[in-house]
Amino acid sequence: MVDLISAAQQQQLDEEGYVVIPDVLSIAEIESYRAQLLQLAEAERADGKAREHADGKGQHVRWLVNKGQAFEKLVAHHKVVPYFEHLLGKDYTLSTLTSNLIYPGAPDNPFHIDNALGAMPEPLPSFPMFVNSLWLLDDFTAENGGTRFVPGSHRWLRKPPMADDPQALCHPDEVRLSARKGSVFLFNGAIWHATGANVTDRARICLICFCCRSFLKPMFDFVQHLQPEVVERATPEMRRIYGFESRPGGLDVPKGEA
Ligand SMILES: O=C(O)CCC(=O)C(=O)O
């Protein structure tokens, strides 16, 4: 049974560019994902394979569906899929499934917009191309690295200032996400956003499920790089989200080479 988006949420998505979906993850799921991510992050640091950012105070653990079966539950979660469909069309695909660990001492990061939007000429497209979702494994606050973002900035069709411009670290209309763990912060990838500084003594962690329109090139090539058992377990909906139905091809293939 699919949960429907309310008219107020649709309006908020259109005008403000984001929504917080409450109570997506249970306490047991939150604790289990958080512990798994901390373990994976530590192992990747020990192996010299860590994907660090924010002066080494931030870390991404990527390719999650190949690193634990529990992460597959995020791919087609019934409480979140309707939002992606609403914004990106029913044939949307997964671009990355990753995570962001923001450790104590992390600084404010400069604003960015997601993926290919940063390389496109202005004005940016006026319809959503990419939709990001952060699955909160801690309460997010203004102190612990709650995401900084400028509500409604997707409607400006402009890129944020370059990272070395002081205005990339401060906008008069910016807010810092304050939301409960277990909720999902879902937003148009064209919103100006960034991780905030963590001035507490505990890591702030989220899972990230980032999706795009089916005609765009995803950041991760799931079709090529998923473990065979992950593909085997995938439902038809998950296969479509992984991108198995949006590969080049079709009828117009050179003779003798099909
Ligand atoms: O973890 C966060 O607060 C923000 C993540 C982010 O900026 C992104 O996924 O593009």
Side-chain angles (χ1 to χ4, degrees):
M1 169 80 185
V2 169
D3 297 291
L4 293 176
I5 312 172
S6 70
Q9 284 179 315
Q10 294 199 27
Q11 189 177 352
Q12 156 130 357
L13 279 168
D14 293 343
E15 290 176 9
E16 306 286 309
Y18 75 96
V19 72
V20 175
I21 312 165
D23 303 322
V24 175
L25 298 175
S26 67
I27 293 295
E29 286 171 321
I30 294 165
E31 285 173 1
S32 161
Y33 283 134
R34 197 174 190 284
Q36 285 181 75
L37 286 177
L38 282 169
Q39 224 169 36
L40 286 164
E42 194 181 324
E44 293 182 7
R45 280 199 308 276
D47 282 355
K49 292 186 182 152
R51 301 282 184 170
E52 291 179 325
H53 64 93
D55 304 335
K57 301 285 190 188
Q59 187 175 351
H60 297 296
V61 177
R62 312 200 307 183
W63 282 106
L64 292 178
V65 281
N66 282 349
K67 295 180 181 172
Q69 190 172 348
F71 295 114
E72 292 169 34
K73 279 201 225 163
L74 309 178
V75 174
H77 198 293
H78 70 285
K79 289 190 176 170
V80 180
V81 163
Y83 295 86
F84 285 119
E85 288 184 345
H86 170 68
L87 290 163
L88 297 174
K90 285 193 181 293
D91 59 347
Y92 78 87
T93 61
L94 187 59
S95 183
T96 59
L97 191 66
T98 181
S99 58
N100 200 8
L101 295 86
I102 299 298
Y103 300 117
D108 273 345
N109 269 354
F111 289 125
H112 66 275
I113 50 178
D114 284 328
N115 194 224
L117 287 171
M120 291 176 76
E122 296 174 339
L124 299 174
S126 58
F127 59 93
M129 306 276 279
F130 301 93
V131 173
N132 208 339
S133 67
L134 311 186
W135 302 51
L136 278 47
L137 303 182
D138 291 286
D139 291 341
F140 273 30
T141 68
E143 289 76 38
N144 74 353
T147 315
R148 304 168 49 229
F149 64 104
V150 186
S153 48
H154 63 299
R155 288 190 282 124
W156 302 340
L157 313 184
R158 279 195 287 116
K159 301 180 214 183
M162 300 295 282
D164 57 359
D165 183 329
Q167 292 186 6
L169 287 171
C170 170
H171 188 280
D173 298 330
E174 80 177 65
V175 295
R176 288 175 193 257
L177 181 64
S178 169
R180 298 292 304 273
K181 63 184 171 192
S183 56
V184 169
F185 173 51
L186 182 134
F187 56 99
N188 186 321
I191 277 205
W192 297 10
H193 66 278
T195 50
N198 185 348
V199 297
T200 71
D201 56 7
R202 180 182 151 96
R204 181 237 78 175
I205 303 180
C206 64
L207 296 156
I208 298 181
C209 182
F210 177 62
C211 296
C212 61
R213 289 200 180 261
S214 62
F215 57 79
L216 293 169
K217 200 190 292 178
M219 290 171 79
F220 290 6
D221 189 348
F222 289 102
V223 172
Q224 289 296 324
H225 298 293
L226 284 180
Q227 307 283 6
E229 64 272 21
V230 175
V231 180
E232 221 154 86
R233 285 194 291 264
T235 62
E237 183 185 26
M238 288 166 77
R239 283 179 64 87
R240 193 268 300 155
I241 293 173
Y242 285 134
F244 282 89
E245 290 171 21
S246 49
R247 286 181 289 176
L251 296 175
D252 191 9
V253 180
K255 278 206 170 111
E257 293 180 27

